[in-house]
Amino acid sequence: MRRYRRTLYARMGEFATLITGPSGTGKELVARAIADSRYVAFDDQRLTFANDGAVSFFPINISALSPTLVESELFGIVASVHGRRGGSQGWLETCPESGSVFLDELGDLDPAIQVKLLRVIETRTFHPVGDTVGRQFAAN
């Protein structure tokens, strides 16, 4: 039974959750409750929890972003695109491994970006704008 629990807790972050409902019904509150109720390992040597109270919930309101910037804001952008000197990391890359991402108003997104987000959910990999190398998305 202990082995089952360890395996289950180790894989809990791999489950995506879909919360539906009209605007203003508290979907973000439900998502925050789910994120806060996850298993957090206890470090016996330091006598603290593994995440030390780090920020673990990242709500992203997709409809507040410009349609042309959604992809670069979510996935990031490499330095060589558009003559930029330095690339920028996207939301998915900056989220820590113990964190949870809440994407609000996904229905308002362009279908092409919805397909890319579905790929992130299925394979846990994404490609920054202008990059051919996939990066791992480790958050819950």
Side-chain angles (χ1 to χ4, degrees), residues 119-130:
R119 177 62 54 126
V120 172
I121 292 169
E122 290 176 344
T123 64
R124 296 291 182 167
T125 60
F126 64 95
H127 296 275
V129 175

Side-chain angles (χ1 to χ4, degrees), residues 28 58-65 91 102-106 108:
E28 185 174 339
F58 296 90
I60 304 169
N61 188 350
I62 301 286
S63 63
L65 299 173
W91 282 93
F102 173 65
L103 300 172
D104 198 10
E105 305 297 337
L106 283 178
D108 296 342

